[in-house]
Amino acid sequence: MPEAANVMDRLVSLAKRRGFVFQSSEIYGGLGSVWDYGPLGVELKNNIKERWWRSMVHEREDIEGLDAAILMHPKVWEASGHLAGFTDPLVDCRQCKNRFRADDPRIKGSPGQPDAQCPVCGSKGMLTAPRMFNLMFKTFMGPVEEAAAVVYLRPETAQGIYVNYVNVLQSSRQKIPFGIAQVGKAFRNEITPGNFTFRTREFEQMEMQFFVKPGTDQQWFEFWREERMKWLVGLGIRAERLRFHQHTPQELAHYAKEAYDIQYEFPFGWQEFEGIHNRTDFDLSRHQEASGKKLEYLDPATTERFIPYVVETSAGADRTALVVMVDAYHEEEVAGEKRVVLRFHPAIAPLKAAVFPLVNKDGMPELSRRIFDDLRKHQKVFYDDGGSIGRRYRRQDEAGTPFGITIDGQSIQDGTVTVRDRDTLLQVRVAADGLAGYLAERLRS
Ligand code: ATP
């Protein structure tokens, strides 16, 4: 797919040029599959996370927030099954020393057999038989680097929720069904990372674990499946590029009874960026057993005791940001000129408006600065007085800024300015005094 590949290349280059995403430690040649967010990228990702938090935590009575630490007691990962089972099968090429996932589609033949061919150097019969490799990053706690001091960087945020489930339940006085939501970093020593920020070794998750009475789990699973899809469409992602993929028995994780991925049609194919999982009572039962602490729920209405089932919605903040960028990216022709525009939903656009004095004289810069100073108390806005007005519009189109505010000669006379809409290109005159309200109305939802 040369055309599709080119779209990704152009997006990656735009992301760097305009300050969305930079490679980590670039001046040292970069660190593999670790990325940094620049001034526009951090705004975009924060807006996505805030919107998620608002819809999950603030707008719901039955979900509480949590911010658990990245480092956890190592026994957590024993109980959760990650120490034994969070592994990928790996093969090495004895010729070129590269390492691959055994299921890498580029490998021809069966690794370990004479017919297997290395996808990098092309040697035959040099690929080792698959060996299991744990994806968790290890580090040491305290001054001694010995086995007893090993701790892990969490590979998912969910476990921080499970081990705090009783704390949250008791302190918030919630009753089942209820949920706990968390946004935070997770780390996986991925073997075949790539596709820009799609698969990285450090990333952020937005996870919500919903605790329900066994027997009601199926109904809640359906509920959250629909809710999450609605939320993504509300984020402005084109519905025809979204679909569910139900996990086959072979794909199901060790803890899951049923699972759906939400996939997006990237230029490199349909890929998961969020999952809804019925994790049953697997995690809480394992933690109860391993810690010796009761994690049962006592139903006040029926006095029944049970370990709740968990329905999880697990999204990657970085992957969602990538979906949003890919979906927003458009190349089009306007008045015979090519323009690149990021059509972000205004509510998550990094910059909400840009303020332009038409020329740098005749009182226009002074009025423009006053408008800019007023607007930035309410929204993230940008001031630009460099170059022709057309070029300034184009720069904001590339940044995905929904509104361009131009202060011209008439503005000095009657206090009105023009507001240009990024998508329709229509310009309307609006009283400068009413601009904050005008923007707020269009940025809501
Ligand atoms: P994959 O099959 O792509 O490795 P997964 O099924 O292991 O993902 P989950 O464990 O369900 O993923 O994680 C939930 C979400 O976290 C994913 O949908 C994705 O958005 C995000 N995520 C997981 N691994 C990564 C990664 N290496 N880089 C970026 N985001 C990730």
Side-chain angles (χ1 to χ4, degrees):
M1 289 196 297
E3 175 52 21
N6 285 341
V7 169
M8 268 325 275
D9 289 348
R10 293 200 290 275
L11 178 67
V12 173
S13 114
L14 171 86
K16 177 175 178 196
R17 188 159 42 82
R18 296 313 312 267
F20 282 93
V21 180
F22 308 126
Q23 198 181 9
S24 160
S25 322
E26 194 184 4
I27 60 167
Y28 288 100
L31 182 66
S33 284
V34 184
W35 298 88
D36 299 338
Y37 288 80
L40 294 184
V42 65
E43 294 294 333
L44 177 70
K45 194 159 90 150
N46 279 345
N47 290 343
I48 293 171
K49 289 188 289 181
E50 272 166 29
R51 197 173 163 88
W52 185 89
W53 192 260
R54 183 152 48 83
S55 84
M56 282 300 198
V57 182
H58 293 184
E59 290 176 8
R60 293 196 64 102
E61 258 184 297
D62 55 358
I63 300 185
E64 303 289 339
L66 178 75
D67 182 14
I70 288 169
L71 299 178
M72 302 182 73
H73 197 292
K75 285 204 170 133
V76 167
W77 306 111
E78 224 174 281
S80 69
H82 282 84
L83 258 182
F86 196 57
T87 49
D88 273 345
L90 286 195
V91 303
D92 290 294
C93 175
R94 284 190 292 261
Q95 182 69 37
C96 69
K97 310 289 179 223
N98 273 298
R99 184 167 266 193
F100 313 93
R101 259 166 76 150
D103 59 0
D104 191 319
R106 298 170 305 166
I107 296 179
K108 295 200 187 81
S110 312
Q113 302 297 320
D115 66 324
Q117 192 175 5
C118 171
V120 171
C121 70
S123 311
K124 273 199 171 169
M126 298 305 274
L127 292 180
T128 61
R131 284 175 303 134
M132 295 314 266
F133 173 84
N134 197 294
L135 300 181
M136 283 199 292
F137 277 98
K138 268 186 202 166
T139 186
F140 300 95
M141 194 143 129
V144 196
E145 294 196 3
E146 58 178 21
V150 165
V151 289
Y152 300 91
L153 302 187
R154 65 181 176 198
E156 61 174 25
T157 58
Q159 299 301 328
I161 294 182
Y162 303 139
V163 300
N164 277 296
Y165 146 76
V166 172
N167 286 336
V168 175
L169 182 70
Q170 289 174 350
S171 57
S172 66
R173 303 177 61 227
Q174 287 280 0
K175 289 193 181 59
I176 274 177
F178 85 105
I180 304 176
Q182 159 156 257
V183 177
K185 291 266 186 178
F187 302 82
R188 297 183 187 177
N189 197 0
E190 301 276 7
I191 302 314
T192 44
N195 278 329
F196 195 29
T197 55
F198 178 79
R199 189 181 302 283
T200 55
R201 295 191 165 112
E202 173 176 344
F203 55 96
E204 255 180 308
Q205 291 187 311
M206 308 185 288
E207 291 198 312
M208 193 280 296
Q209 312 292 324
F210 205 72
F211 300 88
V212 306
K213 189 172 177 181
T216 63
D217 49 308
Q218 187 58 32
Q219 155 202 341
W220 281 108
F221 183 73
E222 292 304 327
F223 173 82
W224 281 111
R225 206 156 76 82
E226 276 172 34
E227 281 296 296
R228 293 308 303 149
M229 187 59 105
K230 266 193 253 165
W231 188 81
L232 292 168
V233 172
L235 207 58
I237 303 167
R238 281 170 285 177
E240 66 273 19
R241 298 235 173 146
L242 294 170
R243 74 175 188 196
F244 283 113
H245 163 75
Q246 183 175 16
H247 282 204
T248 60
Q250 293 74 35
E251 288 173 296
L252 276 181
H254 60 278
Y255 50 72
K257 171 174 154 191
E258 194 177 3
Y260 279 85
D261 292 339
I262 300 182
Q263 296 183 331
Y264 178 77
E265 191 177 15
F266 286 96
F268 46 88
W270 287 96
Q271 295 285 346
E272 161 192 353
F273 70 110
E274 171 152 358
I276 297 100
H277 310 126
N278 183 344
R279 292 179 75 133
T280 68
D281 59 0
F282 177 86
D283 299 273
L284 290 183
S285 299
R286 295 285 292 248
H287 286 308
Q288 171 165 295
E289 202 185 308
S291 69
K293 297 282 182 318
K294 278 254 170 288
L295 299 180
E296 284 174 347
Y297 178 75
L298 170 65
D299 190 331
T302 63
T303 69
E304 254 180 290
R305 281 177 188 278
F306 56 84
I307 294 191
Y309 267 39
V310 172
V311 174
E312 162 186 77
T313 72
S314 176
D318 310 82
R319 252 189 225 178
T320 307
L322 180 62
V323 166
V324 162
M325 282 194 277
V326 169
D327 201 63
Y329 184 89
H330 287 83
E331 292 170 2
E332 55 195 34
E333 233 181 71
V334 173
E337 255 185 69
K338 190 182 139 191
R339 84 160 176 160
V340 171
V341 55
L342 291 176
R343 293 185 193 274
F344 294 130
H345 184 307
I348 55 166
L351 304 171
K352 306 305 185 193
V355 178
F356 311 121
L358 184 62
V359 288
N360 283 312
K361 55 180 187 186
D362 302 335
M364 289 178 221
E366 292 76 9
L367 179 57
S368 302
R369 287 295 321 179
R370 278 208 300 281
I371 291 174
F372 174 66
D373 288 342
D374 176 45
L375 288 181
R376 71 197 160 99
K377 289 186 210 130
H378 309 280
Q379 309 287 356
K380 179 78 183 152
V381 288
F382 186 77
Y383 188 86
D384 189 1
D385 60 5
S388 76
I389 195 73
R391 288 197 49 195
R392 283 182 266 170
Y393 283 151
R394 294 288 175 271
R395 284 203 286 263
Q396 292 310 313
D397 289 343
E398 272 193 343
T401 311
F403 302 104
I405 298 166
T406 304
I407 290 80
D408 56 16
Q410 190 180 328
S411 311
I412 309 297
Q413 308 299 323
D414 66 5
T416 65
V417 297
T418 64
V419 181
R420 170 192 182 263
D421 182 296
R422 174 198 68 198
D423 299 333
T424 63
L425 301 174
L426 292 176
Q427 301 198 16
V428 290
R429 282 207 91 87
V430 174
D433 291 350
L435 267 177
Y438 180 92
L439 291 183
E441 202 175 304
R442 281 155 185 81
L443 295 170
R444 217 178 291 133
S445 88

